[in-house]
Amino acid sequence: MNILEINHMKKAFHGLEVLKDISLTVKEGEVVSIIGPSGSGKSTLLRCATMLEKMDGGDLIYMGEYAAKDEGGKSVYAEKPELKKFHHYFGLVFQNFQLFPHYSVLKNITDAPVSVDKISKKEAYERADRLLKQLGLSDKRDAYPYQLSGGQQQRVSIARALALQPKILFFDEPTSALDPILTSEVLKVIKELAEQKMTMIIVTHEMEFAKELSDRIIFMEEGIIQEQGTPEEIFASENPRIRDFIGKFKS
């Protein structure tokens, strides 16, 4: 089953086309990595897929239902009450954590399930405790973000996204703000999620990680998907732009 389908997504800022014509599908349990140079539109793709930005044109489909439908070259979104449902389908992990600094770890994780999903505090706390244990953070339950390392903060933000039990998780360069030791800490968590068949789209510059973990890799440049395929296909690509890009990270 397709968790996500995007057809002919377009997005411009102040007349500058950032996404020119993006189409992709993501099946349940699939891990898709998106790679490409800075400014190629990777983060904008994620922001449009998670409705933080509105597409100018194209379809956005979750679980076979249209969150936005292209009508005459313009994206028309579902009504607001209907859109709320779509927000339950995905979670987003940012590169700079975006935790609430005045909330404890526990409150950061339980706030949305209680206030948005209206689940009981008891269930939210049980869910949070399970996630904290899974992510090796049980002893940080009552800590505040400033008391945590960057790697711990990113793991809390992953727990916060998982607490809403999404169908698909989006990661926007989840390790770009971390040093190598903390990076490996976070990548280990993402690998464990992949082993549990969590559906994920990961924008990353970690080439070896993308090669090892992904079912499919998408190479984006200048607002379009230049090539996509298995890790083996992408890493053996004859496309000079891809070879050059991957080579920069391997050297």
Side-chain angles (χ1 to χ4, degrees):
M1 177 184 185
N2 289 337
I3 300 282
L4 172 68
E5 187 177 339
I6 292 168
N7 298 318
H8 308 296
M9 179 188 276
K10 296 178 179 69
K11 179 66 183 176
F13 294 101
H14 312 296
L16 177 71
E17 277 189 304
V18 178
L19 299 177
K20 294 172 183 170
D21 186 0
I22 300 287
S23 296
L24 64 92
T25 57
V26 182
K27 295 184 175 69
E28 188 172 9
E30 196 175 17
V31 177
V32 177
S33 290
I34 302 178
I35 64 172
S38 296
S40 57
K42 304 183 301 293
S43 291
T44 302
L45 167 56
L46 256 56
R47 290 180 69 81
C48 287
T50 56
M51 295 186 273
L52 289 171
E53 299 281 356
K54 282 198 164 181
M55 305 184 298
D56 298 328
D59 303 321
L60 179 62
I61 305 164
Y62 278 99
M63 312 291 287
E65 297 180 79
Y66 283 86
K69 194 168 194 173
D70 194 288
E71 295 182 9
K74 189 176 187 310
S75 295
V76 177
Y77 281 78
E79 296 296 322
K80 259 196 173 162
E82 178 80 357
L83 275 183
K84 280 181 86 170
K85 170 182 70 182
F86 290 98
H87 284 276
H88 286 93
Y89 292 146
F90 58 78
L92 175 60
V93 178
F94 299 90
Q95 55 183 293
N96 56 353
F97 325 135
Q98 297 207 356
L99 299 173
F100 295 114
H102 55 296
Y103 283 2
S104 68
V105 164
L106 183 67
K107 188 161 172 59
N108 262 288
I109 296 169
T110 58
D111 189 58
V114 171
S115 60
V116 179
D117 280 2
K118 308 296 182 197
I119 72 170
S120 69
K121 278 192 174 179
K122 181 176 183 290
E123 187 184 338
Y125 287 171
E126 285 171 357
R127 203 180 279 181
D129 283 335
R130 275 198 307 275
L131 288 165
L132 288 170
K133 185 177 180 186
Q134 180 186 336
L135 299 180
L137 292 167
S138 293
D139 59 333
K140 303 298 182 188
R141 189 178 191 265
D142 301 314
Y144 284 81
Y146 76 90
Q147 297 171 308
L148 305 176
S149 70
Q152 289 168 336
Q153 288 186 60
Q154 191 59 294
R155 281 185 282 154
V156 172
S157 70
I158 293 170
R160 180 178 61 183
L162 288 169
L164 290 166
Q165 299 184 329
K167 300 286 187 189
I168 182 171
L169 263 187
F170 294 90
F171 292 87
D172 189 6
E173 298 196 16
T175 59
S176 67
L178 304 175
D179 68 33
I181 291 171
L182 299 180
T183 291
S184 65
E185 203 179 280
V186 171
L187 295 182
K188 179 172 174 279
V189 168
I190 298 173
K191 276 183 196 170
E192 286 166 0
L193 292 173
E195 285 162 12
Q196 293 159 19
K197 295 297 177 199
M198 183 77 210
T199 311
M200 294 184 278
I201 293 186
I202 307 164
V203 169
T204 184
H205 283 304
E206 300 285 339
M207 291 301 110
E208 287 305 317
F209 173 72
K211 186 178 182 181
E212 180 190 343
L213 194 74
S214 310
D215 297 299
R216 189 155 41 101
I217 295 177
I218 290 171
F219 179 78
M220 274 184 73
E221 191 175 35
E222 296 178 348
I224 61 172
I225 293 173
Q226 300 279 356
E227 199 169 321
Q228 61 177 306
T230 64
E232 294 73 27
E233 287 167 344
I234 294 297
F235 276 74
S237 173
E238 294 299 316
N239 182 322
R241 293 293 303 122
I242 297 177
R243 292 176 74 90
D244 182 50
F245 179 78
I246 289 173
K248 280 191 175 79
F249 287 92
K250 288 167 99 175
S251 56

